[in-house]
Amino acid sequence: MFKNFKMFRRYYNSSAKSIANVLKNKESGDFISVQGWVKSMRKMKENVFFDVSDGCSEKRLQILLNNSLKPTDLTPGSSIIAKGKLSLSPKGDLELNAEEVKVLGECIVSEGYPFAPKKQYNADYIRQYLHLRSRTNKFSSVLRIRDAATFAVHEHLHEQGYINVHTPILTSNDCEGAGEVFTVFPDNKETLKQMSKPNQSKEEAYFNSKVFLSVSGQLHLEALSHGISKVYTFGPTFRAENSRSRLHLSEFYMLETETAFMSDIKQLTDHIENMVVEMTKKILNKYPEDLKKAQDIEVDLSWVNKKFPILTYEEAVDIAKQRDVSFNSEEGFTKEDEMFIVKHCGNIPTFIIDWPKEKKPFYMKECTHDSTKVDALDLLAPNVGEVVGGSLRENSYEKLKENLPSENLEWYLDLRKFGSVPTGGCGLGFERYLQMILGISSIKDVIPFPRWPHNCNL
Ligand SMILES: NC(=O)C[C@H](N)C(=O)O
Protein backbone atom coordinates (compact mmCIF):
# COMPACT_ATOMS: atom_id res chain seq x y z
CA MET A 1 0.00 0.00 0.00
CA PHE A 2 2.78 2.45 0.87
CA LYS A 3 5.45 3.08 -1.73
CA ASN A 4 8.16 3.21 0.86
CA PHE A 5 8.77 3.22 4.58
CA LYS A 6 9.09 7.04 4.74
CA MET A 7 5.61 7.45 3.40
CA PHE A 8 4.28 4.85 5.81
CA ARG A 9 5.75 6.79 8.75
CA ARG A 10 4.39 10.10 7.49
CA TYR A 11 0.91 8.66 7.24
CA TYR A 12 0.74 7.10 10.64
CA ASN A 13 2.68 9.73 12.54
CA SER A 14 0.88 12.74 11.11
CA SER A 15 -1.68 14.24 13.41
CA ALA A 16 -4.99 15.10 11.81
CA LYS A 17 -4.91 18.20 9.61
CA SER A 18 -7.65 20.80 9.53
CA ILE A 19 -9.95 20.34 6.56
CA ALA A 20 -9.16 23.82 5.19
CA ASN A 21 -5.46 22.96 5.39
CA VAL A 22 -5.95 19.65 3.57
CA LEU A 23 -7.95 21.26 0.76
CA LYS A 24 -5.42 24.07 0.38
CA ASN A 25 -2.10 22.28 0.76
CA LYS A 26 -2.60 18.62 -0.11
CA GLU A 27 -3.09 16.91 -3.42
CA SER A 28 -4.39 13.73 -4.95
CA GLY A 29 -2.26 10.79 -3.82
CA ASP A 30 -1.36 12.23 -0.41
CA PHE A 31 -2.08 10.11 2.66
CA ILE A 32 -3.78 12.09 5.39
CA SER A 33 -5.94 11.84 8.44
CA VAL A 34 -8.77 14.26 9.28
CA GLN A 35 -11.26 14.62 12.09
CA GLY A 36 -14.64 16.28 12.34
CA TRP A 37 -18.39 15.72 12.45
CA VAL A 38 -20.40 13.88 9.82
CA LYS A 39 -22.76 16.34 8.14
CA SER A 40 -24.59 14.14 5.66
CA MET A 41 -24.39 10.57 4.37
CA ARG A 42 -25.32 8.78 1.18
CA LYS A 43 -25.21 5.01 0.99
CA MET A 44 -24.45 3.54 -2.43
CA LYS A 45 -24.05 -0.07 -3.56
CA GLU A 46 -20.35 -0.38 -2.77
CA ASN A 47 -19.45 2.68 -0.80
CA VAL A 48 -20.87 5.07 1.71
CA PHE A 49 -20.19 8.76 0.98
CA PHE A 50 -20.23 11.33 3.75
CA ASP A 51 -19.26 15.00 4.20
CA VAL A 52 -17.14 15.95 7.18
CA SER A 53 -16.70 19.39 8.74
CA ASP A 54 -14.39 20.39 11.58
CA GLY A 55 -16.13 23.77 11.96
CA CYS A 56 -12.88 25.77 11.71
CA SER A 57 -13.86 26.85 8.20
CA GLU A 58 -16.92 26.48 6.03
CA LYS A 59 -15.07 23.82 4.01
CA ARG A 60 -16.09 20.17 3.95
CA LEU A 61 -14.31 17.09 2.81
CA GLN A 62 -16.15 14.26 1.11
CA ILE A 63 -15.10 10.85 2.38
CA LEU A 64 -15.85 7.59 0.71
CA LEU A 65 -15.60 4.30 2.52
CA ASN A 66 -16.24 0.78 1.40
CA ASN A 67 -19.44 -0.48 2.98
CA SER A 68 -17.56 -3.47 4.41
CA LEU A 69 -15.45 -1.06 6.54
CA LYS A 70 -18.36 1.11 7.76
CA PRO A 71 -18.67 1.19 11.56
CA THR A 72 -22.24 0.53 12.68
CA ASP A 73 -22.31 3.70 14.76
CA LEU A 74 -21.37 5.99 11.83
CA THR A 75 -24.38 8.32 11.66
CA PRO A 76 -24.91 12.01 10.77
CA GLY A 77 -23.76 14.16 13.66
CA SER A 78 -21.14 11.66 14.95
CA SER A 79 -17.56 12.72 15.49
CA ILE A 80 -15.00 10.72 13.54
CA ILE A 81 -11.37 10.39 12.63
CA ALA A 82 -10.62 9.10 9.15
CA LYS A 83 -7.40 8.01 7.45
CA GLY A 84 -6.73 7.32 3.82
CA LYS A 85 -5.57 8.62 0.48
CA LEU A 86 -6.76 11.73 -1.30
CA SER A 87 -8.06 11.42 -4.84
CA LEU A 88 -10.04 13.54 -7.25
CA SER A 89 -13.80 13.05 -7.50
CA PRO A 90 -15.39 12.85 -10.97
CA LYS A 91 -16.22 16.57 -10.46
CA GLY A 92 -12.53 17.36 -9.86
CA ASP A 93 -12.80 18.00 -6.08
CA LEU A 94 -10.42 16.44 -3.58
CA GLU A 95 -12.03 13.58 -1.66
CA LEU A 96 -10.71 11.04 0.80
CA ASN A 97 -10.70 7.34 0.03
CA ALA A 98 -10.81 6.19 3.63
CA GLU A 99 -9.05 3.04 4.71
CA GLU A 100 -10.14 3.41 8.26
CA VAL A 101 -12.87 5.43 9.96
CA LYS A 102 -13.19 5.50 13.71
CA VAL A 103 -16.28 6.90 15.40
CA LEU A 104 -15.22 8.83 18.51
CA GLY A 105 -18.70 9.81 19.65
CA GLU A 106 -21.88 8.51 18.16
CA CYS A 107 -24.71 10.98 17.63
CA ILE A 108 -27.61 9.19 19.28
CA VAL A 109 -30.47 10.60 17.26
CA SER A 110 -33.05 8.63 19.25
CA GLU A 111 -32.00 10.64 22.35
CA GLY A 112 -33.58 13.71 20.76
CA TYR A 113 -30.86 15.27 18.57
CA PRO A 114 -32.71 18.33 17.29
CA PHE A 115 -31.01 18.84 13.90
CA ALA A 116 -31.64 16.41 11.05
CA PRO A 117 -29.07 16.48 8.22
CA LYS A 118 -29.81 18.80 5.29
CA LYS A 119 -32.89 20.26 6.97
CA GLN A 120 -33.23 24.03 7.34
CA TYR A 121 -34.43 25.32 10.70
CA ASN A 122 -35.50 28.82 11.59
CA ALA A 123 -33.60 30.89 14.14
CA ASP A 124 -36.30 30.68 16.84
CA TYR A 125 -36.12 26.88 16.74
CA ILE A 126 -32.31 26.76 16.74
CA ARG A 127 -32.16 29.26 19.65
CA GLN A 128 -33.89 26.72 21.90
CA TYR A 129 -30.68 24.67 21.76
CA LEU A 130 -27.96 27.21 22.55
CA HIS A 131 -25.58 24.44 23.61
CA LEU A 132 -25.95 22.64 20.28
CA ARG A 133 -26.18 25.69 17.99
CA SER A 134 -22.59 25.54 16.74
CA ARG A 135 -23.46 22.22 14.99
CA THR A 136 -25.67 24.08 12.52
CA ASN A 137 -24.09 25.37 9.31
CA LYS A 138 -25.66 28.77 9.66
CA PHE A 139 -24.63 29.50 13.24
CA SER A 140 -21.11 28.14 12.74
CA SER A 141 -20.76 30.62 9.86
CA VAL A 142 -22.05 33.41 12.16
CA LEU A 143 -19.43 32.47 14.76
CA ARG A 144 -16.63 32.50 12.20
CA ILE A 145 -17.76 35.92 10.92
CA ARG A 146 -17.87 37.13 14.54
CA ASP A 147 -14.28 35.95 14.89
CA ALA A 148 -13.31 37.59 11.57
CA ALA A 149 -14.87 40.88 12.72
CA THR A 150 -12.99 40.67 16.04
CA PHE A 151 -9.75 40.14 14.17
CA ALA A 152 -10.59 42.99 11.76
CA VAL A 153 -11.16 45.34 14.72
CA HIS A 154 -7.70 44.66 16.13
CA GLU A 155 -6.00 44.67 12.74
CA HIS A 156 -7.58 47.94 11.62
CA LEU A 157 -6.99 49.82 14.85
CA HIS A 158 -3.38 48.67 15.02
CA GLU A 159 -2.88 49.83 11.45
CA GLN A 160 -4.11 53.22 12.67
CA GLY A 161 -1.65 53.24 15.60
CA TYR A 162 -4.13 52.47 18.42
CA ILE A 163 -3.15 50.56 21.55
CA ASN A 164 -5.49 47.97 23.03
CA VAL A 165 -6.11 48.33 26.76
CA HIS A 166 -8.30 46.42 29.19
CA THR A 167 -10.75 48.54 31.11
CA PRO A 168 -12.31 47.03 34.24
CA ILE A 169 -15.58 45.15 34.34
CA LEU A 170 -16.14 45.94 38.03
CA THR A 171 -16.55 49.70 38.41
CA SER A 172 -18.04 52.24 40.75
CA ASN A 173 -19.22 54.57 37.95
CA ASP A 174 -22.37 54.50 35.89
CA CYS A 175 -20.78 56.20 32.90
CA GLU A 176 -23.98 56.80 30.97
CA GLY A 177 -25.87 57.87 34.07
CA ALA A 178 -28.97 56.04 32.93
CA GLY A 179 -29.23 53.87 36.04
CA GLU A 180 -29.25 50.66 34.02
CA VAL A 181 -26.54 49.01 36.08
CA PHE A 182 -26.21 45.56 37.61
CA THR A 183 -24.92 45.91 41.18
CA VAL A 184 -22.30 43.39 42.38
CA PHE A 185 -21.79 42.26 45.97
CA PRO A 186 -20.74 39.01 47.67
CA ASP A 187 -23.18 36.17 47.90
CA ASN A 188 -21.36 34.72 50.87
CA LYS A 189 -23.15 35.70 54.12
CA GLU A 190 -20.01 35.07 56.19
CA THR A 191 -17.92 37.43 54.03
CA LEU A 192 -20.64 40.05 54.22
CA LYS A 193 -20.80 39.75 58.00
CA GLN A 194 -17.03 40.03 58.36
CA MET A 195 -16.72 43.00 56.05
CA SER A 196 -19.76 45.15 56.89
CA LYS A 197 -19.16 48.28 58.89
CA PRO A 198 -21.99 49.68 61.01
CA ASN A 199 -24.66 51.44 58.95
CA GLN A 200 -23.26 50.10 55.71
CA SER A 201 -25.51 48.52 53.13
CA LYS A 202 -24.61 45.01 51.99
CA GLU A 203 -24.00 46.45 48.49
CA GLU A 204 -21.19 48.60 49.92
CA ALA A 205 -19.65 46.14 52.36
CA TYR A 206 -17.01 44.60 50.10
CA PHE A 207 -15.57 47.60 48.20
CA ASN A 208 -16.80 50.37 50.53
CA SER A 209 -18.91 51.70 47.70
CA LYS A 210 -21.54 50.38 45.39
CA VAL A 211 -19.94 48.52 42.52
CA PHE A 212 -21.49 47.72 39.17
CA LEU A 213 -20.80 45.66 36.07
CA SER A 214 -19.46 48.19 33.58
CA VAL A 215 -21.98 49.82 31.22
CA SER A 216 -19.09 51.40 29.30
CA GLY A 217 -15.30 51.53 29.57
CA GLN A 218 -15.28 55.12 28.41
CA LEU A 219 -14.23 57.00 31.55
CA HIS A 220 -11.34 54.63 32.22
CA LEU A 221 -10.41 54.80 28.55
CA GLU A 222 -10.38 58.60 28.76
CA ALA A 223 -7.99 58.38 31.72
CA LEU A 224 -5.63 56.13 29.73
CA SER A 225 -5.89 58.34 26.63
CA HIS A 226 -4.23 61.11 28.64
CA GLY A 227 -0.95 59.18 28.58
CA ILE A 228 -1.37 57.01 25.49
CA SER A 229 -3.07 59.18 22.92
CA LYS A 230 -4.87 56.50 20.89
CA VAL A 231 -6.47 53.70 22.88
CA TYR A 232 -9.29 51.21 22.49
CA THR A 233 -10.98 48.58 24.56
CA PHE A 234 -13.14 45.73 23.29
CA GLY A 235 -15.02 43.67 25.80
CA PRO A 236 -18.31 42.85 27.44
CA THR A 237 -20.57 45.56 28.85
CA PHE A 238 -23.75 45.12 30.82
CA ARG A 239 -27.07 46.95 30.82
CA ALA A 240 -29.96 46.08 33.10
CA GLU A 241 -32.57 47.28 30.64
CA ASN A 242 -35.96 45.71 30.87
CA SER A 243 -36.05 45.05 27.16
CA ARG A 244 -36.63 41.87 25.27
CA SER A 245 -36.38 43.61 21.89
CA ARG A 246 -34.54 42.22 18.89
CA LEU A 247 -31.80 44.84 19.45
CA HIS A 248 -31.06 44.62 23.17
CA LEU A 249 -29.02 42.27 25.34
CA SER A 250 -28.16 42.41 29.04
CA GLU A 251 -24.56 41.52 28.15
CA PHE A 252 -23.09 42.74 24.88
CA TYR A 253 -19.67 43.51 23.43
CA MET A 254 -18.64 47.08 22.79
CA LEU A 255 -15.66 48.40 20.88
CA GLU A 256 -14.69 51.75 22.35
CA THR A 257 -11.96 54.08 21.10
CA GLU A 258 -10.66 57.28 22.65
CA THR A 259 -8.40 59.64 20.75
CA ALA A 260 -6.48 62.48 22.34
CA PHE A 261 -5.79 65.72 20.46
CA MET A 262 -9.10 65.36 18.66
CA SER A 263 -10.95 68.65 18.67
CA ASP A 264 -13.36 68.57 15.75
CA ILE A 265 -16.43 66.37 15.36
CA LYS A 266 -15.48 65.86 11.69
CA GLN A 267 -12.31 64.05 12.84
CA LEU A 268 -14.49 61.72 14.88
CA THR A 269 -16.99 61.02 12.07
CA ASP A 270 -14.06 60.32 9.71
CA HIS A 271 -12.47 57.95 12.25
CA ILE A 272 -15.72 56.01 12.75
CA GLU A 273 -16.57 55.87 9.05
CA ASN A 274 -13.09 54.63 8.26
CA MET A 275 -13.28 52.00 11.00
CA VAL A 276 -16.69 50.63 9.97
CA VAL A 277 -15.79 50.60 6.26
CA GLU A 278 -12.34 49.05 6.66
CA MET A 279 -13.54 46.35 9.07
CA THR A 280 -16.30 45.42 6.66
CA LYS A 281 -13.97 45.37 3.66
CA LYS A 282 -11.57 43.04 5.48
CA ILE A 283 -14.41 40.61 6.19
CA LEU A 284 -15.76 40.86 2.64
CA ASN A 285 -12.34 40.17 1.16
CA LYS A 286 -11.25 37.36 3.44
CA TYR A 287 -14.48 35.49 4.20
CA PRO A 288 -16.91 35.90 1.28
CA GLU A 289 -18.26 32.33 1.57
CA ASP A 290 -18.99 32.46 5.29
CA LEU A 291 -20.46 35.93 4.92
CA LYS A 292 -22.97 34.64 2.39
CA LYS A 293 -23.82 31.60 4.53
CA ALA A 294 -24.24 33.64 7.71
CA GLN A 295 -26.50 36.25 6.13
CA ASP A 296 -30.24 35.92 6.78
CA ILE A 297 -31.05 38.04 3.75
CA GLU A 298 -28.82 39.27 0.97
CA VAL A 299 -27.38 42.47 2.42
CA ASP A 300 -26.41 45.40 0.25
CA LEU A 301 -22.96 46.39 1.52
CA SER A 302 -22.20 48.76 -1.36
CA TRP A 303 -22.04 51.53 1.25
CA VAL A 304 -18.41 50.51 1.82
CA ASN A 305 -17.65 52.56 -1.29
CA LYS A 306 -19.85 55.55 -0.41
CA LYS A 307 -19.50 58.58 1.82
CA PHE A 308 -21.64 58.36 4.98
CA PRO A 309 -24.16 61.25 5.08
CA ILE A 310 -24.01 63.62 8.07
CA LEU A 311 -27.24 65.23 9.33
CA THR A 312 -27.67 67.70 12.15
CA TYR A 313 -30.17 66.72 14.83
CA GLU A 314 -32.58 69.35 13.46
CA GLU A 315 -32.31 67.93 9.92
CA ALA A 316 -32.95 64.43 11.26
CA VAL A 317 -36.04 65.69 13.12
CA ASP A 318 -37.38 67.20 9.88
CA ILE A 319 -36.94 63.84 8.14
CA ALA A 320 -38.61 61.95 11.02
CA LYS A 321 -41.58 64.34 10.74
CA GLN A 322 -42.09 63.22 7.13
CA ARG A 323 -42.81 59.74 8.50
CA ASP A 324 -44.92 60.90 11.37
CA VAL A 325 -46.14 64.50 11.61
CA SER A 326 -46.74 64.07 15.32
CA PHE A 327 -43.02 63.30 15.93
CA ASN A 328 -42.23 64.36 19.48
CA SER A 329 -38.65 65.55 19.84
CA GLU A 330 -38.98 65.28 23.66
CA GLU A 331 -39.20 61.51 23.35
CA GLY A 332 -36.42 61.28 20.78
CA PHE A 333 -36.20 59.05 17.77
CA THR A 334 -37.95 55.70 17.86
CA LYS A 335 -36.43 52.70 16.08
CA GLU A 336 -38.89 53.28 13.25
CA ASP A 337 -37.72 56.89 12.95
CA GLU A 338 -34.09 55.75 12.85
CA MET A 339 -34.79 53.20 10.10
CA PHE A 340 -36.77 55.81 8.15
CA ILE A 341 -33.91 58.32 8.38
CA VAL A 342 -31.37 55.76 7.10
CA LYS A 343 -33.70 54.77 4.27
CA HIS A 344 -34.21 58.41 3.42
CA CYS A 345 -30.40 58.74 3.14
CA GLY A 346 -30.14 55.86 0.64
CA ASN A 347 -29.65 53.02 3.13
CA ILE A 348 -26.13 54.22 3.84
CA PRO A 349 -25.03 54.42 7.49
CA THR A 350 -25.87 57.99 8.51
CA PHE A 351 -24.47 60.26 11.21
CA ILE A 352 -26.58 62.58 13.34
CA ILE A 353 -24.56 65.34 15.02
CA ASP A 354 -25.28 68.52 17.05
CA TRP A 355 -27.48 66.94 19.72
CA PRO A 356 -29.51 68.93 22.27
CA LYS A 357 -27.55 68.97 25.51
CA GLU A 358 -30.38 67.61 27.65
CA LYS A 359 -30.57 64.43 25.56
CA LYS A 360 -26.97 63.41 26.23
CA PRO A 361 -24.74 62.53 29.24
CA PHE A 362 -22.68 64.99 31.29
CA TYR A 363 -19.30 64.32 29.65
CA MET A 364 -20.12 65.62 26.17
CA LYS A 365 -18.56 68.84 24.91
CA GLU A 366 -20.68 71.93 24.39
CA CYS A 367 -20.73 73.02 20.73
CA THR A 368 -18.81 76.24 20.14
CA HIS A 369 -21.52 77.52 17.78
CA ASP A 370 -24.49 76.79 20.07
CA SER A 371 -24.37 76.37 23.86
CA THR A 372 -27.65 74.40 23.87
CA LYS A 373 -26.01 71.66 21.78
CA VAL A 374 -23.24 69.14 22.32
CA ASP A 375 -20.65 67.70 19.91
CA ALA A 376 -22.20 64.24 20.05
CA LEU A 377 -22.99 61.79 17.30
CA ASP A 378 -25.03 58.69 16.65
CA LEU A 379 -24.37 56.51 13.63
CA LEU A 380 -27.58 54.95 12.35
CA ALA A 381 -27.29 51.82 10.22
CA PRO A 382 -29.63 49.93 7.91
CA ASN A 383 -31.51 47.11 9.69
CA VAL A 384 -30.48 48.16 13.23
CA GLY A 385 -30.63 51.94 13.75
CA GLU A 386 -28.06 53.24 16.24
CA VAL A 387 -24.86 51.21 15.96
CA VAL A 388 -22.27 53.74 17.22
CA GLY A 389 -22.52 56.56 19.75
CA GLY A 390 -19.76 59.03 20.48
CA SER A 391 -18.74 62.57 21.25
CA LEU A 392 -15.99 65.04 21.83
CA ARG A 393 -15.46 65.18 25.60
CA GLU A 394 -15.94 68.32 27.65
CA ASN A 395 -12.43 69.37 28.57
CA SER A 396 -13.25 72.62 30.37
CA TYR A 397 -12.62 71.96 34.06
CA GLU A 398 -15.27 74.48 35.16
CA LYS A 399 -18.05 73.22 32.89
CA LEU A 400 -17.35 69.63 33.81
CA LYS A 401 -17.31 70.36 37.53
CA GLU A 402 -20.70 72.04 37.24
CA ASN A 403 -22.25 68.98 35.59
CA LEU A 404 -20.43 66.17 37.38
CA PRO A 405 -23.06 63.65 38.52
CA SER A 406 -21.28 62.09 41.53
CA GLU A 407 -18.49 62.67 44.00
CA ASN A 408 -17.02 59.34 43.00
CA LEU A 409 -15.79 61.03 39.86
CA GLU A 410 -13.37 63.51 41.42
CA TRP A 411 -10.57 61.58 39.72
CA TYR A 412 -12.20 62.31 36.37
CA LEU A 413 -11.83 66.04 37.05
CA ASP A 414 -8.11 65.50 37.67
CA LEU A 415 -7.74 64.57 34.02
CA ARG A 416 -8.65 68.19 33.20
CA LYS A 417 -6.09 69.54 35.66
CA PHE A 418 -2.97 67.64 34.65
CA GLY A 419 -2.02 67.95 30.99
CA SER A 420 -5.60 68.07 29.78
CA VAL A 421 -6.17 67.61 26.04
CA PRO A 422 -9.26 67.60 23.87
CA THR A 423 -10.34 64.00 23.25
CA GLY A 424 -13.05 62.29 21.26
CA GLY A 425 -14.34 58.77 21.49
CA CYS A 426 -17.03 56.35 20.51
CA GLY A 427 -18.60 53.00 21.29
CA LEU A 428 -19.65 50.54 18.60
CA GLY A 429 -22.20 47.90 19.58
CA PHE A 430 -20.45 44.82 18.22
CA GLU A 431 -23.55 42.62 17.95
CA ARG A 432 -25.51 45.36 16.21
CA TYR A 433 -22.63 45.78 13.77
CA LEU A 434 -22.86 42.03 13.02
CA GLN A 435 -26.63 42.31 12.59
CA MET A 436 -26.05 45.17 10.17
CA ILE A 437 -23.64 43.27 7.90
CA LEU A 438 -25.48 39.94 8.18
CA GLY A 439 -29.07 41.17 7.95
CA ILE A 440 -29.88 39.09 11.03
CA SER A 441 -33.04 40.26 12.69
CA SER A 442 -32.43 39.20 16.30
CA ILE A 443 -29.34 40.24 18.26
CA LYS A 444 -29.65 36.91 20.12
CA ASP A 445 -28.51 35.15 16.96
CA VAL A 446 -25.10 36.82 16.61
CA ILE A 447 -23.70 35.99 20.08
CA PRO A 448 -23.03 32.44 21.33
CA PHE A 449 -24.86 32.64 24.65
CA PRO A 450 -27.27 35.60 24.72
CA ARG A 451 -28.46 37.05 28.02
CA TRP A 452 -31.73 38.93 28.23
CA PRO A 453 -34.41 39.35 30.91
CA HIS A 454 -35.51 35.95 32.31
CA ASN A 455 -32.89 34.20 30.18
CA CYS A 456 -29.55 33.25 31.69
CA ASN A 457 -29.92 29.52 32.19
CA LEU A 458 -27.12 28.36 29.98
N1 LIG B 1 -17.12 55.11 24.62
C1 LIG B 1 -18.22 55.70 24.21
O1 LIG B 1 -18.24 56.80 23.73
C2 LIG B 1 -19.52 54.93 24.35
C3 LIG B 1 -20.48 55.60 25.28
N2 LIG B 1 -20.00 55.66 26.62
C4 LIG B 1 -21.76 54.76 25.27
O2 LIG B 1 -21.91 53.86 26.11
O3 LIG B 1 -22.57 54.98 24.40
Side-chain angles (χ1 to χ4, degrees):
M1 179 171 75
F2 296 102
K3 281 197 207 110
N4 56 42
F5 181 66
K6 217 164 129 205
M7 194 178 256
F8 173 84
R9 276 218 350 225
R10 208 183 65 212
Y11 174 45
Y12 277 103
N13 286 348
S14 69
S15 56
K17 295 272 182 296
S18 82
I19 287 174
N21 185 307
V22 165
L23 294 175
K24 195 164 162 231
N25 300 320
K26 298 284 173 184
E27 51 192 44
S28 178
D30 287 347
F31 286 93
I32 59 148
S33 81
V34 288
Q35 54 204 14
W37 290 269
V38 176
K39 288 292 173 179
S40 57
M41 284 176 70
R42 291 169 309 286
K43 219 171 161 208
M44 309 296 255
K45 218 157 91 205
E46 269 178 41
N47 295 314
V48 54
F49 290 82
F50 52 100
D51 289 335
V52 170
S53 159
D54 58 20
C56 294
S57 72
E58 88 294 350
K59 301 268 188 280
R60 286 161 178 219
L61 182 65
Q62 174 162 278
I63 298 183
L64 69 102
L65 179 71
N66 191 283
N67 278 327
S68 63
L69 299 173
K70 180 183 170 292
T72 49
D73 48 0
L74 184 74
T75 53
S78 323
S79 57
I80 59 117
I81 180 154
K83 293 173 179 180
K85 187 176 167 186
L86 288 172
S87 61
L88 287 179
S89 73
K91 273 201 210 147
D93 299 325
L94 272 184
E95 64 181 9
L96 183 69
N97 275 292
E99 286 159 8
E100 186 190 341
V101 170
K102 199 168 154 205
V103 174
L104 302 180
E106 185 188 357
C107 181
I108 311 168
V109 176
S110 60
E111 287 286 320
Y113 185 61
F115 308 127
K118 293 202 165 166
K119 232 182 131 181
Q120 299 278 340
Y121 296 99
N122 70 33
D124 289 339
Y125 174 84
I126 295 173
R127 206 181 304 126
Q128 294 173 50
Y129 305 99
L130 293 182
H131 59 306
L132 301 174
R133 266 205 302 190
S134 68
R135 321 287 178 97
T136 66
N137 300 335
K138 175 83 189 281
F139 195 67
S140 63
S141 282
V142 169
L143 287 184
R144 288 188 297 269
I145 290 295
R146 192 180 163 105
D147 167 65
T150 304
F151 191 74
V153 162
H154 291 293
E155 195 181 32
H156 171 70
L157 286 172
H158 279 93
E159 283 163 8
Q160 301 298 309
Y162 281 78
I163 299 291
N164 182 210
V165 292
H166 296 122
T167 48
I169 287 175
L170 295 177
T171 174
S172 55
N173 75 62
D174 171 9
C175 173
E176 296 304 287
E180 288 160 345
V181 285
F182 288 100
T183 307
V184 182
F185 55 90
D187 186 32
N188 183 328
K189 286 202 180 67
E190 206 37 56
T191 308
L192 271 177
K193 212 164 92 192
Q194 284 163 11
M195 298 189 77
S196 295
K197 298 199 181 89
N199 302 324
Q200 209 172 32
S201 69
K202 64 178 180 200
E203 287 89 343
E204 294 179 350
Y206 191 88
F207 287 111
N208 277 348
S209 69
K210 270 199 186 172
V211 162
F212 317 114
L213 295 179
S214 178
V215 296
S216 160
Q218 180 194 322
L219 303 187
H220 293 103
L221 207 54
E222 276 191 59
L224 300 174
S225 77
H226 280 64
I228 296 174
S229 53
K230 292 165 123 186
V231 281
Y232 73 100
T233 189
F234 183 23
T237 45
F238 307 85
R239 305 256 166 120
E241 284 174 281
N242 186 9
S243 173
R244 303 166 65 99
S245 90
R246 71 175 190 89
L247 293 162
H248 291 90
L249 287 172
S250 313
E251 176 183 280
F252 63 97
Y253 276 69
M254 184 151 64
L255 163 64
E256 297 184 270
T257 71
E258 196 68 30
T259 314
F261 307 100
M262 183 180 264
S263 51
D264 187 331
I265 195 80
K266 183 73 179 40
Q267 290 172 293
L268 188 57
T269 53
D270 282 351
H271 161 74
I272 295 169
E273 178 174 335
N274 192 245
M275 186 166 78
V276 171
V277 164
E278 290 307 316
M279 274 169 67
T280 310
K281 280 186 179 167
K282 284 179 193 295
I283 300 168
L284 271 166
N285 288 339
K286 286 196 209 155
Y287 304 94
E289 292 303 318
D290 259 330
L291 193 70
K292 252 187 260 146
K293 287 185 179 157
Q295 283 175 339
D296 250 356
I297 47 171
E298 207 182 310
V299 184
D300 178 6
L301 295 175
S302 59
W303 48 256
V304 295
N305 296 314
K306 295 178 183 152
K307 200 79 203 113
F308 291 4
I310 303 179
L311 304 172
T312 62
Y313 178 81
E314 305 302 341
E315 287 168 338
V317 167
D318 286 344
I319 296 171
K321 279 184 178 159
Q322 292 176 26
R323 186 185 86 83
D324 177 5
V325 276
S326 65
F327 173 82
N328 179 347
S329 62
E330 284 295 294
E331 282 169 22
F333 301 115
T334 60
K335 269 298 147 207
E336 290 71 30
D337 294 329
E338 291 183 351
M339 305 296 179
F340 184 79
I341 292 166
V342 180
K343 210 162 176 194
H344 187 273
C345 293
N347 268 327
I348 304 171
T350 300
F351 287 108
I352 303 179
I353 59 168
D354 282 359
W355 283 74
K357 206 181 238 175
E358 71 277 2
K359 293 221 168 302
K360 293 290 182 182
F362 76 97
Y363 53 73
M364 296 192 172
K365 188 175 173 65
E366 194 177 285
C367 290
T368 39
H369 63 274
D370 182 346
S371 63
T372 66
K373 300 272 166 59
V374 283
D375 270 323
L377 61 83
D378 278 8
L379 178 66
L380 308 184
N383 189 37
V384 293
E386 186 198 344
V387 66
V388 183
S391 72
L392 299 183
R393 316 308 188 187
E394 184 54 79
N395 64 328
S396 147
Y397 175 82
E398 282 73 29
K399 283 190 184 135
L400 205 52
K401 190 167 165 63
E402 226 171 86
N403 297 327
L404 207 65
S406 96
E407 281 170 18
N408 263 347
L409 285 176
E410 283 300 323
W411 65 266
Y412 186 66
L413 280 178
D414 273 359
L415 303 180
R416 273 69 183 173
K417 282 195 236 163
F418 309 126
S420 176
V421 282
T423 74
C426 63
L428 171 141
F430 188 58
E431 284 75 19
R432 286 194 186 174
Y433 166 76
L434 292 173
Q435 283 183 277
M436 154 189 172
I437 63 164
L438 297 178
I440 289 184
S441 169
S442 171
I443 196 164
K444 301 171 188 85
D445 298 329
V446 292
I447 187 166
F449 296 101
R451 273 82 179 90
W452 75 99
H454 309 299
N455 283 274
C456 191
N457 299 330
L458 183 83

